[in-house]
């Protein structure tokens, strides 16, 4: 019996499998430590924030570039799809945060994140 790529695809479809883009997960993640933090340390942070009339913000920072191409495209076999991009690289960085109640804060800035930018964002 000879196994072909088309045959494998047919079997996978019959078994309920579909082609998908995989999700990326950090292999360093430690679910037990995360659960412990959520159960033991985070409640104390919530209590302190409530006592001080403060908000807890969940934040992240990222960079954006004008030459970044995401996603996929389709073309006839043997013809690579072409996406036109601006060769002058432009970039910005963004820091944003959200509370559990959905309040969003953000700051757009040039260059890399540093302590002064973070402190300014937190003050605002």
């Amino acid at each position: 019996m000879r196994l072909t790529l088309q045959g494998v695809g047919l079997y996978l479809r019959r078994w309920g499998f579909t082609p998908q883009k995989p999700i990326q997960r950090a292999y360093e993640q430690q679910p037990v430590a995360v659960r412990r933090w959520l159960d033991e340390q985070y409640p104390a942070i919530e209590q302190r924030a409530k006592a001080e009339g403060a908000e807890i913000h969940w934040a992240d920072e990222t960079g954006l570039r004008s030459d970044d191409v995401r996603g996929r495209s389709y073309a006839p076999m043997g013809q690579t799809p072409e996406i036109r991009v601006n060769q002058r690289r432009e970039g910005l960085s963004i820091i944003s945060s959200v509370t559990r109640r959905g309040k969003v804060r953000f700051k757009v800035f040039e260059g890399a994140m540093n302590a002064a930018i973070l402190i300014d964002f937190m003050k605002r």
Side-chain angles (χ1 to χ4, degrees):
M1 178 175 157
R2 186 167 169 254
L3 198 57
T4 65
L5 186 59
Q6 183 180 13
V8 170
L10 289 171
Y11 277 116
L12 290 171
R13 244 188 320 280
R14 283 185 202 151
W15 296 332
F17 288 83
T18 60
Q20 301 176 34
K21 187 174 179 181
I23 190 170
Q24 294 181 359
R25 293 198 193 276
Y27 65 86
E28 304 95 346
Q29 190 178 53
Q30 299 174 3
V32 173
V34 170
R35 175 84 291 170
R36 189 175 337 119
W37 184 86
L38 286 170
D39 292 341
E40 297 172 11
Q41 295 176 306
Y42 184 69
I45 295 169
E46 278 186 309
Q47 287 177 343
R48 180 176 174 189
K50 187 175 182 180
E52 295 179 10
E55 294 177 328
I56 298 172
H57 283 253
W58 300 89
D60 197 8
E61 178 266 340
T62 191
L64 303 171
R65 287 183 35 164
S66 61
D67 64 345
D68 187 23
V69 177
R70 300 278 174 159
R72 299 176 186 197
S73 188
Y74 290 86
M77 186 177 289
Q79 297 179 26
T80 304
E82 180 180 320
I83 297 174
R84 296 177 56 102
V85 296
N86 185 348
Q87 289 303 304
R88 273 190 38 228
R89 290 185 182 162
E90 302 288 340
L92 289 173
S93 296
I94 298 173
I95 183 171
S96 61
S97 69
V98 62
T99 67
R100 283 181 24 181
R101 293 183 179 248
K103 185 183 287 186
V104 175
R105 298 283 186 254
F106 68 93
K107 177 181 174 97
V108 179
F109 57 95
E110 292 184 7
M113 171 66 83
N114 60 38
I117 292 170
L118 179 61
I119 290 169
D120 176 65
F121 175 74
M122 292 169 62
K123 284 180 178 178
R124 293 183 331 135

